[in-house]
Amino acid sequence: MLKKLGFIVLILFTVGSTLGLRPVQAAGELTLYTPFTGLSVTPGETISYSVDVMNDGSTIQNVTFEVENLPDGWTQTITSDGRDIQQLSVQPNSSQGLTLEVTVPLKVEKADYQFQLVANGNGGTSAELPFVTTVSEEGTFKTELTSEQPNMEGHTDSTFTYTATLKNRTAEEQNYSLSSGAPEGWGVQFKADSKNVTSVTVEPNGSKEITVEVTPPKNAKAETYQLPIKAATSSTSAETTLEAVITGSYELKLTTPSGKLSTDVTAGEDKTVDLVVENTGTATLTNVDVSASAPPNWETEFDTSKIAKIEPGQKETIQVTLKAPDDAIAGDYVTTLTAEADEASSEATFRVSVKTSTLWGFVGVIIIIAVAAGMYYLFRKYGRR
């Protein structure tokens, strides 16, 4: 009987060996686990998976790993505690961690890709962890130049500051020259790493943040301007268009109707002068305040010193009265007139010539006549004695 039983076992072993059957292991003796097995990536990106290797058996498992069905051009590394590993020992009823990094190539089609991490332990035990990676966009294998905020608004005194991102989607380091196609008269300055630059170097699959400072000309009209910028090498290039919306220029002019900035006045008297406050810009000026800085003891008075607003190309006429003190000495005096709005200001230097009052001239003549008459009287009365 024992002989028959042994014979049967021998036959089963032989058949099992012939068919390639492996000894049956306890279910779940070796397990791989990570919570994120389906991720979305872009071309050139590296995915990092943290994987737990769990040994539910009663013996130490010396585990080796391989990644199966990894697409062509994709690369992978397996590390633990920052070191590349070929094998990992896991104690009974314990677990060890590893990191699987998979790099997607730059030149890749938009699709879902599947691969597996396979762990092989002692005595034929094994475990498999499937992954699904979604490549969300077609691999460009070129240069990209983008700006999240390409449109800005301001007046002609503004400096428009844009931030652009230059991406090198090629497999080689690239040295890009930077240029602009802004309209004539516009100033464009590129900056990288807080320095003024005309070119930048970007590593393969790397990116560089570039600041673009744009200065419009003073005479720019109120409209929208296109500002193309470009990054180029001998083999690849990219460009994008920035926009600057000019809301207008702020300019104020203070003068007289004739343009003459001088007058004369007699000491002790006053003189009224017309002033013209003109908006010579292309945007509305608001809260215009007109004031004067006169010599000591002089008086100034405006018929109105505040103007609520002045539209572009328009002008307002106001009057200022200048009064010289009674004891003002003949000569030239300077009064500074100022018009100041919320957005701009202007000054005019006004020269005032002071003349002595004619009354004193008459008084002088009368005194001279009186002296002459007195002398004549004395001469007539006492001259012959």
Side-chain angles (χ1 to χ4, degrees), residues 289-340:
D289 189 8
V290 184
S291 61
S293 177
N297 301 322
W298 283 60
E299 296 179 11
T300 60
E301 183 179 354
F302 294 90
D303 63 342
T304 179
S305 61
K306 293 186 179 296
I307 305 170
K309 68 176 181 178
I310 308 177
E311 298 295 336
Q314 299 299 309
K315 61 182 70 175
E316 296 286 340
T317 301
I318 63 175
Q319 290 184 328
V320 60
T321 300
L322 306 172
K323 183 176 181 180
D326 295 336
D327 58 353
I329 302 173
D332 290 341
Y333 295 80
V334 172
T335 295
T336 302
L337 302 170
T338 302
E340 187 170 9

Side-chain angles (χ1 to χ4, degrees), residues 208-252:
K208 175 74 73 173
E209 190 172 275
I210 300 170
T211 300
V212 186
E213 293 184 349
V214 178
T215 305
K218 294 296 183 182
N219 60 350
K221 296 181 180 180
E223 60 181 77
T224 300
Y225 293 85
Q226 305 295 314
L227 311 168
I229 59 172
K230 184 177 183 179
T233 70
S234 58
S235 58
T236 180
S237 66
E239 60 183 289
T240 190
T241 299
L242 307 174
E243 281 188 349
V245 180
I246 298 296
T247 56
S249 61
Y250 298 109
E251 295 183 25
L252 183 62

